[in-house]
């Protein structure tokens, strides 16, 4: 019952306790992660580098979330084919950054940039971050299939609250878009079964709008739409119910909203209105259906900001109507940026002064990402905004056209109607009440766990004969180059996991005590959303010269800056799994023998070599008894377990650099060994030794990080250098910290290219306020 204390404006209803507890159970069991990606620019030519910054936040508060330590990034083609993939390390503030070099073989088109965490793979892939990017290949002719293609339209109707009921006047919202997901212009009419005109309707914005009418029993209804150009099509309206409930939500004043529940052919009984936002219950009210109506008044100040989910329950506590209501964006991060000049010369220093505060003027600390690029109008496109995404886009179903429009700052009646049409036509997608009320959202049902420390390498062990998964078997994993080892036990599905963290592609080994089939699984999601929009990339013929010029700029830039952007992030320095050994031998300090047996017998008294019927054993000597332990030690070669000691004894000892010994009982991942012997080769590559009952493969985790190259023209010799500077992306900085005074100064140099340049700054504060800033400046043409 204590959970009821956190509900604003709640008058205790004991009979509704189960609903509240189920909702609270869902909230506590389902961490909501959101990822937003700031991509350096919306349009690329092949050969350029795409830079990006990931922001991972907690879904209800948008506060930076330091839970998942790994993010996954993909470029998806129009057949849901991954074109490029990379894994990104997330820091303790839930942020990470990376880059992708766009290969020359890519064809021109629109692609989907998507990002997610391992935990997010438990949910609908439409929850992943998505943004459309345009990639142009000027070396391949762009074939347009727009002309001559039959136009397709997606026409949908949405009764307010979810239902139409005969005899009740209802608001019906509609969404009419083309095959590219863009709203279209049209005029429409609602006709009944006798062809009488019931209502006329037109879109207000982006193909969205609504009309009101009262369906009568005995009649059916259809919409006849005339599209721009004269084409006419007919669509059936949803069938009304003979008995049921409808909903009507209206603003009654600046601070109050009215929620009316209409009923037809149902008993007069109690109904309940539950309002929640960001997984927090805001209010619960009880009403009574009398004469087919129950009215609730809600205080907007109690609802909070953002998307409010309004659900009506009947006396049996089953949801009967629901809809979304937008209560404003609330506070946000205000990013003000000023350049020291409006116009610059080639290679001149550009100074930025950034000031950050909230809408009340309070200065804030924040982390920002900054991009400055040349606007060349190759493709009509737009930037996604972090505030819009976290406040609206990430929680609504379907493709939203120009989501930033809804944060334009207007407060007119028309703009409020446009936002309400969005709420009526794009439903909430985070959960379904049926699953909540039946407590289906349980932690044990989630297949993908949170990557709390590093990347989880996952695989499956199966029988080589039957292909059936093998459970309860230990799998031994190592990264020889890093001298790292781990052991995992397969579950009922034959699955094993290893927590790994390194940069680049490295050789890894996987072994078992017996011969099984070992398969590594891709860490990238194989699920794709149904609403991906791959609109036609249509370029005008007069862009040919600009395309060729940008391609040349990219090639020249790559030629003269080759190697300047690439740096290798060092691996984490980690001790071996056994920590500090009791004894270590550097074999170069001793006489080098030709067999391993001679090495051990001559100057390693801690290890006894025994041979019985041609079978070798290595036994660690117990220092307290000076006798060999009874059981086998754990033997490692470059961190890889040695299972066949007899075959290992034939290794060339000249390949071995060091020998380390733990001469006491050693426990590792639930297994017990009588000591440990660790051999290390010079190149940490197993020295040509072939592992037992397993596989050796290459596995890449985090890509080597690139540092954006930005030349400095601070002295005359660099100002007059004849090396061309053809950068179209002048500046990229994914990690800009704004201090307590709320200000930050940045500077960079213009290139040799003239034109209009755009500054895009996005970021988030420690308390979850997000914001963006867009401004431009000019670089003058050289006379």
């Amino acid at each position: 019952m204590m959970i009821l204390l956190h509900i604003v404006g709640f008058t205790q209803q004991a009979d509704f306790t189960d609903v509240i507890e189920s909702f609270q159970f869902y909230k506590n069991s389902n961490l909501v992660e959101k990822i937003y990606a700031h991509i350096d620019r919306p349009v690329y030519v092949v050969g350029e580098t795409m830079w990006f910054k990931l922001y991972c936040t907690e879904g209800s508060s948008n506060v930076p979330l330091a839970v998942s330590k790994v993010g996954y990034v993909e470029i998806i083609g129009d057949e849901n084919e991954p074109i490029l993939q990379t894994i990104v390390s997330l820091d303790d503030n839930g942020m990470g950054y990376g880059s992708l070099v766009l290969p020359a073989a890519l064809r021109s088109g629109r692609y989907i940039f998507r990002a997610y965490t391992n935990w997010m793979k438990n949910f609908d892939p439409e929850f992943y971050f998505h943004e459309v990017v345009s990639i142009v290949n000027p070396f391949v002719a762009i074939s347009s299939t727009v002309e001559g293609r039959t136009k397709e339209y997606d026409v949908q109707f949405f009764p307010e609250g979810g239902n139409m009921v005969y005899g009740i006047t209802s608001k019906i919202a509609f969404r009419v878009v083309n095959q590219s997901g863009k709203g279209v212009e049209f005029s429409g009419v609602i006709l009944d079964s006798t062809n009488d005109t019931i209502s006329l309707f037109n879109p207000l914005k982006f193909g969205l709008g609504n009309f009101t009418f009262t369906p009568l029993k005995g009649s059916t209804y259809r919409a006849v739409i005339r599209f721009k150009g004269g084409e006419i099509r007919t669509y059936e309206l949803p069938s009304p119910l003979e008995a049921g409930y409808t909903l009507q939500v209206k603003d009654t004043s600046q601070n109050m909203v009215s929620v009316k529940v209409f009923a037809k052919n149902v008993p007069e009984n109690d109904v309940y209105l539950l309002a929640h936002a960001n997984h927090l219950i805001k209010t619960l009210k009880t009403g009574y259906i009398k004469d087919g109506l129950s009215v609730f008044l809600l205080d907007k100040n109690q609802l909070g900001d953002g998307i409010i989910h309004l659900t009506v329950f009947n006396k049996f506590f089953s949801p009967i109507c629901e809809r979304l209501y937008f209560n404003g964006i609330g506070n946000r991060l205000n990013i003000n940026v000023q350049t020291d000049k409006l116009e610059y010369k080639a290679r001149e220093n550009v100074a930025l002064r950034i000031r950050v505060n909230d809408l009340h003027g309070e200065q804030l600390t924040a982390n920002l990402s900054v991009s400055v690029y040349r606007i060349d109008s190759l493709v009509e496109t737009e930037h996604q905004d972090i505030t819009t995404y976290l406040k609206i886009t990430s929680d609504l179903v379907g493709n939203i056209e120009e989501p930033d429009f809804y944060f334009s700052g207007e407060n007119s009646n028309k703009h409020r109607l446009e936002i309400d049409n969005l709420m009526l036509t794009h439903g909430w997608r985070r959960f379904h009440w049926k699953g909540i009320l039946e407590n289906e959202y349980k932690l044990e049902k989630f297949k993908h766990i949170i990557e709390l420390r590093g990347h989880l390498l996952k695989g499956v062990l199966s029988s080589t004969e039957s292909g059936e998964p093998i459970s309860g078997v230990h799998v031994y994993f190592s990264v020889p180059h890093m001298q790292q080892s781990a052991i995992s036990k397969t579950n009922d599905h034959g699955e094993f996991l290893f927590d790994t963290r390194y940069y680049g592609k490295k050789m890894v080994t996987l072994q078992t005590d017996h011969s099984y089939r070992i398969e590594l699984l891709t860490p990238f999601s194989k699920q794709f959303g149904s609403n991906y929009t791959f609109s036609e990339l249509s370029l005008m013929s007069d862009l040919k010269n600009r395309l060729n010029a940008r391609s040349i700029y990219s090639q020249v830039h790559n030629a003269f800056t080759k190697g300047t952007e690439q740096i290798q992030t060092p691996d984490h320095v980690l001790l071996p799994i056994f920590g500090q050994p009791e004894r270590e031998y550097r074999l170069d300090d001793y006489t080098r023998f030709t067999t391993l047996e001679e090495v051990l017998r001559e100057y390693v008294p801690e290890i006894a070599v025994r041979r019985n019927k041609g079978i070798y054993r290595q036994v660690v000597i117990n220092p307290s008894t000076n006798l060999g332990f009874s059981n086998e030690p754990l033997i490692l070669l470059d961190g890889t377990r040695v299972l066949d000691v007899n075959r290992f004894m034939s290794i060339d000892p000249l390949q071995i650099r060091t020998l380390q010994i733990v001469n006491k009982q050693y426990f590792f991942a639930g297994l017990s060994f009588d000591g440990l012997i660790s051999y290390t080769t010079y190149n940490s590559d197993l020295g040509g030794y072939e592992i037992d009952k397993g596989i050796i493969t290459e596995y890449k985790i985090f890509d080597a990080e690139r540092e954006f190259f930005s030349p400095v023209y601070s002295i005359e010799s660099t100002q007059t250098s004849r090396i061309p500077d053809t950068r179209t992306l002048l500046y990229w900085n994914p990690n800009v910290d704004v201090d307590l005074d709320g200000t930050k100064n940045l500077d960079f140099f213009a290139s040799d290219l003239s034109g209009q340049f755009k500054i895009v700054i996005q970021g988030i504060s420690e308390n979850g306020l997000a914001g963006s800033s867009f401004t431009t400046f000019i670089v003058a043409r050289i006379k």
Side-chain angles (χ1 to χ4, degrees), residues 341-350 713 719 727 730 748-755 757 777-783:
K341 298 170 66 175
L342 296 178
E343 185 174 303
Y344 298 87
K345 300 175 183 178
R347 303 194 182 189
E348 187 176 359
N349 183 71
V350 180
Y713 299 116
Q719 283 276 352
R727 290 173 297 133
L730 297 185
F748 53 88
F749 288 85
S751 65
D752 294 337
L753 303 182
S754 61
F757 288 79
F777 63 89
I778 299 293
V779 175
R781 186 181 299 275
I782 300 176
K783 298 180 180 179

Side-chain angles (χ1 to χ4, degrees), residues 277-278 282 300 303-308 326-331 391:
N278 298 324
K282 298 297 183 177
K300 293 183 183 181
L303 297 179
D305 58 69
I307 297 175
I308 312 299
F326 190 69
N327 199 31
I329 62 174
N331 202 0
K391 288 281 190 178

Side-chain angles (χ1 to χ4, degrees), residues 152-154 176-184:
E152 297 296 331
Y153 301 101
D154 180 16
V176 181
V177 298
N178 61 21
Q179 64 266 39
S180 299
K182 303 293 186 181
V184 297

Side-chain angles (χ1 to χ4, degrees), residues 315-502:
K315 69 171 184 176
F316 302 108
F317 314 116
S318 297
I320 53 176
C321 290
E322 63 183 3
R323 70 103 95 190
L324 304 181
Y325 175 79
F326 190 69
N327 199 31
I329 62 174
N331 202 0
R332 61 174 167 175
L333 194 67
N334 182 41
I335 303 174
N336 180 271
V337 57
Q338 291 182 333
T339 57
D340 58 332
K341 298 170 66 175
L342 296 178
E343 185 174 303
Y344 298 87
K345 300 175 183 178
R347 303 194 182 189
E348 187 176 359
N349 183 71
V350 180
L352 303 183
R353 179 172 176 79
I354 302 170
R355 180 176 294 277
V356 172
N357 53 264
D358 65 10
L359 295 183
H360 305 298
E362 182 179 347
Q363 294 174 341
L364 300 169
T365 59
N367 185 269
L368 311 175
S369 45
V370 181
S371 174
V372 182
Y373 63 91
R374 185 176 185 239
I375 302 173
D376 48 21
S377 303
L378 293 180
V379 180
E380 182 181 352
T381 187
E382 61 193 39
H383 264 284
Q384 191 157 194
D385 176 86
I386 186 172
T387 311
T388 307
Y389 180 78
L390 295 178
K391 288 281 190 178
I392 292 184
T393 312
S394 59
D395 284 323
L396 295 181
V397 173
N399 180 63
I400 300 174
E401 184 177 356
E402 295 186 29
D404 295 342
F405 166 81
Y406 299 100
F407 277 162
S408 63
E410 295 184 30
N411 194 31
S412 64
N413 289 333
K414 179 176 180 292
H415 192 62
R416 288 194 293 271
L417 288 174
E418 290 162 342
I419 295 177
D420 200 47
N421 285 333
L422 181 70
M423 297 297 106
L424 288 166
T425 55
H426 291 72
W428 185 270
R429 64 183 188 181
R430 283 286 166 188
F431 63 81
H432 300 284
W433 274 108
K434 181 178 183 297
I436 288 182
L437 297 176
E438 296 177 3
N439 290 336
E440 292 180 356
Y441 299 95
K442 297 179 181 179
L443 284 174
E444 59 268 23
K445 289 192 175 184
F446 294 129
K447 184 178 181 180
H448 305 283
I449 64 177
I450 297 175
E451 294 178 311
L452 294 170
R453 293 179 294 275
H455 167 66
L456 293 176
L457 181 149
K458 187 175 184 179
V460 175
L461 196 69
S462 59
S463 168
T464 55
E465 291 82 19
S466 66
E468 293 295 317
I470 304 296
S471 63
V473 171
H474 289 98
V475 180
Y476 309 104
F477 168 79
S478 74
V479 186
H481 175 74
M482 298 178 65
Q483 300 288 309
Q484 292 302 297
S485 306
I487 300 177
S488 176
K489 193 173 183 180
T490 57
N491 62 16
D492 292 340
H493 304 288
E495 298 170 337
F496 56 84
L497 284 175
F498 293 103
D499 196 347
T500 58
R501 189 176 183 87
Y502 59 80

Side-chain angles (χ1 to χ4, degrees), residues 549-560:
R550 174 139 170 198
S551 176
I552 293 172
Y553 297 154
S554 175
Q555 294 176 64
V556 171
H557 173 73
N558 291 339
F560 282 97

Side-chain angles (χ1 to χ4, degrees), residues 282-318:
K282 298 297 183 177
T283 187
L284 170 65
K285 291 181 175 290
T286 302
Y288 188 81
I289 297 291
K290 183 174 179 59
D291 297 329
L293 176 65
S294 182
V295 180
F296 300 92
L297 289 178
L298 303 180
D299 186 342
K300 293 183 183 181
N301 295 324
Q302 288 187 351
L303 297 179
D305 58 69
I307 297 175
I308 312 299
H309 194 150
L310 303 173
T311 306
V312 178
F313 296 80
N314 62 16
K315 69 171 184 176
F316 302 108
F317 314 116
S318 297

